[in-house]
Structures are given as C-alpha cells and as structure tokens.
C-alpha cells in the first residue's frame, strides 16, 4: 500500500509542539522569540508568502514584525535596516524575502544578516556548517523534507538517495542533509544524462526542479520514498508538483502531494529555526 505523506497534517503537529515550546520559553524567560521579516517591493507571490509566515508565527506565539519597503529602496537602506536588526537584542530571527528587486545585490544582503539570526539558513556560514556537520541554521525547505522522509523511515543509513535540482536553497542543502544521514547521495540537474536511470536507483527521491509532473512512474524505483518539492502553476490556475502523482503513487512506498506536502513544512521549519535562534542566543538547551 502506498502512503500519501500529508505534510500539512505533519506540519500541524509540529506547530502545536512549537507553540507549547514558545509558551514554556515565555514562562521561563519572560520573553517571546521574535522574527523580523524584510520584504522589498510588491511581488504578489512574495506578499502571500510573507503573510503566511506572519500568520504562522503569530499562531505559534512568536512575535512577528514585517518591514515592508518600497521597490525603490536602495541597497544601503536595506543594509542599514539589517544592521539595526542584527544589533537589536529583541530580534532573534531575520528573514529577507527573496527575490529582491534586480538592482539589489541579493547575496550581499543575505550575507549581511548575522549567521546566528539567519533563520532561512542561506548565509554561507550556515551552509558551511551544514557541510562540516556543525550545528547551524538549516534551510527550511530541505529541513522540512528530511522530517517528512523520517516520518516514513527513521534510519536512512546506507540508502541510495537522489536529489533532482541543485539550487542553493533546496537541492544542494538537501543532498548534504541526506549525506549527513549516511545516505549514498547523487545530485541530478538539468545537465544530467539518463535522468530516468539515475532516479530509478533512488530509495529516497527528492525532486526540486520546477518542471510540472516530469517525474513519471518509469523513473521511480518500486518502494521508493518520493518527496515532491516543486510548485508549478498550470494554465488552469491549479498547482501541481514536479512528480506525476497519479502514475507514481502506486509504485512508491510514500509520496508527498502538491499542495499539502512540502510547502506547509517549509513555513513550520521557519518557526522552528526562529525558536532555535532564540534558544541559542539565550543559551537555553532545547528538549524537543
Ligand atoms: P531553481 O530553478 O533554482 O533550481 C531548479 C533546479 O532544477 C536546477 O538546479 C536545475 O538544474 C534543475 N532542473 C531543471 N530542469 C531539470 C530537468 N529537466 N532535469 C533535471 N534537473 C532539472 O529552483 P528551486 O528554487 O530549487 O525550486 C525548485 C522547485 O521547488 C520550484 O518549483 C519551486 O517553486 C519549488 N520550491 C518549493 C518550496 C516549498 O516550500 N514547497 C520551496 C522552495 C522551492
């Protein structure tokens, strides 16, 4: 029997745990974890993402402040705001919503955030820590994907894992997380030859390519765990993933749907990273 991994339900469970943890932290320290989000310009998708993050934070008891800056904001103005937030002891997590307007040097902005407050986990210091296996902030989407995989199978040691996609925010950190779990990892990308054959080797297949339904059943190993990160909007306005859900589901052990799969876990891991940042900044051991 194939399992549908409903990320929305698993995310709900985590959010309740985080809400309880935040309440306990508030009771013991008198302070709530605080997340500051910086959004520049009017990109409609970004506006929705930021609203969702703000709502989720508030529901978890996390203090959330959104800094909405006009599209004309200069690089210096953004960096000045980030410096203020870096130095503000009341701010535990800083998230700069991407993409930034084209004239802004996005990597410079990402690198301006203190690594200890970088709840997106995109700062090179945090990505480096992921490589060395040190404790750092883990990017939210791959962190959420790993939690979903572990809902199906706790010990991944020795499994063959394939990640399709090599972006810095999903594919590369995902591959590193699976390597840290003792998987034998292959990263596939747009230049990979014989993609179907590569994917068929995967006990764990994570797809983050942004290509609607392009992973079909002939590319999936019988009994694989398949995580579909893709979010694609079809012409009819509906969302779909990178995996052809109908054909792949009967063949695999477990598969995430789109929507209600990885997306809700991404936001949940942002909350988790904010609590993590708060605890580290206040030298509190987490007991999750
Ligand atoms: P990206 O465009 O930065 O990277 C896409 C990657 O896929 C590239 O590395 C490319 O080499 C690879 N790729 C493209 N076409 C391919 C092909 N035909 N065969 C093999 N590899 C191919 O995208 P991203 O930011 O990593 O996002 C990937 C997808 O995941 C998008 O649909 C995005 O919307 C979605 N996403 C979802 C969440 C979430 O929370 N659910 C978060 C981030 C991204």
């Amino acid at each position: 029997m194939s399992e549908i991994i409903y990320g929305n339900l698993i995310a709900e469970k985590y959010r309740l745990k985080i809400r309880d943890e935040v309440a306990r932290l508030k009771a013991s320290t008198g302070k709530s974890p605080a997340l500051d989000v910086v959004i520049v310009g009017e990109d409609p998708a970004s506006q929705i993402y930021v609203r969702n993050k703000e709502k989720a934070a508030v529901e978890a008891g996390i203090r959330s402040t959104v800094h909405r800056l006009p599209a004309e904001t200069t690089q210096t103005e953004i960096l000045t705001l980030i410096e203020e937030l870096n130095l503000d002891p009341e701010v535990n997590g800083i998230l700069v919503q991407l993409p930034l307007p084209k004239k802004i040097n996005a990597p410079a902005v990402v690198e301006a955030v203190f690594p200890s407050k970088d709840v997106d986990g995109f700062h090179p210091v945090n990505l480096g820590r992921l490589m060395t296996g040190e404790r750092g902030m883990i990017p939210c989407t791959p962190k959420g994907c790993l939690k979903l995989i572990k809902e199906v199978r706790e010990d991944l040691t020795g499994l063959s894992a394939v990640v399709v996609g090599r972006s810095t925010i999903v594919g590369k950190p995902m591959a590193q997380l699976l390597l840290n779990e003792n998987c034998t990892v292959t990263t596939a990308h747009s230049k990979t030859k014989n993609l179907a054959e590569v994917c068929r080797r995967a006990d764990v297949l994570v797809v983050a390519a942004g290509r609607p339904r392009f992973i079909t059943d002939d590319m999936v190993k019988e009994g694989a765990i398949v995580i579909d990160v893709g979010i694609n909007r079809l012409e009819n306005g509906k969302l779909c993933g990178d995996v052809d859900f109908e054909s792949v589901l009967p063949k695999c052990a477990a598969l995430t749907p789109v929507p209600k799969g990885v997306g809700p876990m991404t936001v949940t891991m942002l909350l988790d990273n904010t609590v993590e940042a708060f605890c580290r900044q206040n030298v509190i051991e987490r007991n999750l």
Side-chain angles (χ1 to χ4, degrees):
M1 244 316 249
S2 308
E3 178 190 342
I4 300 176
I5 312 169
Y6 283 108
N8 57 333
L9 302 180
I10 297 165
E12 186 57 33
K13 194 179 76 180
Y14 271 100
R15 287 187 201 191
L16 290 176
K17 268 181 154 178
I18 292 170
R19 199 183 66 185
D20 287 351
E21 190 184 7
V22 168
R24 283 198 304 276
L25 289 168
K26 198 171 175 186
S28 63
T29 66
K31 295 185 285 190
S32 298
L35 170 67
D36 279 48
V37 178
V38 178
I39 176 166
V40 186
E42 303 296 329
D43 178 58
S46 294
Q47 298 283 346
I48 294 171
Y49 291 144
V50 167
R51 268 204 301 278
N52 287 344
K53 289 168 186 174
E54 191 181 14
K55 185 168 169 279
V58 170
E59 280 170 7
I62 292 172
R63 207 164 50 76
S64 165
T65 308
V66 180
H67 304 264
R68 291 193 165 78
L69 307 179
E72 316 77 72
T73 309
T74 63
Q75 171 106 3
T76 309
E77 286 167 332
I78 298 173
L79 292 177
T80 304
L81 172 61
I82 288 177
E83 199 181 331
E84 277 170 26
L85 300 176
N86 276 338
L87 298 176
D88 185 343
E90 301 296 314
V91 174
N92 306 110
I94 303 169
L95 180 147
V96 180
Q97 183 63 41
L98 300 176
L100 287 165
K102 284 203 167 55
K103 60 172 184 170
I104 303 293
N105 177 350
V109 172
V110 168
E111 287 181 39
V113 175
F114 277 176
S116 59
K117 295 191 176 186
D118 166 40
V119 284
D120 251 341
F122 295 163
H123 193 288
V125 165
N126 283 317
L127 292 170
R129 285 183 181 146
L130 183 58
M131 288 216 84
T132 58
E134 285 169 81
R135 198 169 161 196
M137 288 291 169
I138 298 169
C140 301
T141 300
K143 185 176 177 180
C145 290
L146 183 62
K147 295 230 185 272
L148 293 179
I149 296 166
K150 290 198 151 208
E151 288 281 324
V152 182
R153 186 165 170 160
E154 179 57 36
D155 184 6
L156 306 179
T157 299
L159 295 186
S160 159
V162 174
V163 178
V164 182
R166 57 172 164 183
S167 71
T168 309
I169 61 169
V170 189
K172 283 182 192 162
M174 186 73 242
Q176 189 59 50
L177 278 174
L178 289 164
L179 184 60
N180 294 355
E181 292 290 327
N182 302 317
C183 290
T184 304
V185 184
T186 304
T187 302
H189 47 80
S190 55
K191 304 281 190 288
T192 296
K193 294 202 167 73
N194 303 325
L195 182 68
E197 193 187 306
V198 171
C199 291
R200 272 199 301 272
R201 292 202 291 262
D203 301 308
V204 176
L205 178 63
V206 181
V207 191
R211 299 270 176 269
R213 295 179 180 146
F214 92 120
I215 299 289
T216 43
D217 57 343
D218 57 310
M219 303 169 81
V220 176
K221 182 176 180 175
E222 195 90 39
I225 300 171
V226 184
I227 304 294
D228 188 355
V229 185
I231 303 177
N232 307 289
R233 196 166 286 281
L234 299 171
E235 274 178 12
N236 63 11
K238 287 197 170 157
L239 292 182
C240 81
D242 289 354
V243 176
D244 182 30
F245 188 86
E246 306 301 331
S247 80
V248 170
L249 182 64
K251 195 163 180 192
C252 62
L255 170 63
T256 57
V258 177
K260 299 188 178 169
V262 172
M265 283 303 277
T266 295
V267 180
T268 305
M269 292 305 111
L270 170 67
L271 307 180
D272 191 64
N273 279 353
T274 304
V275 175
E276 177 78 15
F278 175 90
C279 287
R280 281 196 232 164
Q281 287 156 30
N282 289 280
V283 201
I284 296 167
E285 212 42 62
R286 286 186 86 186
N287 50 359
L288 272 183

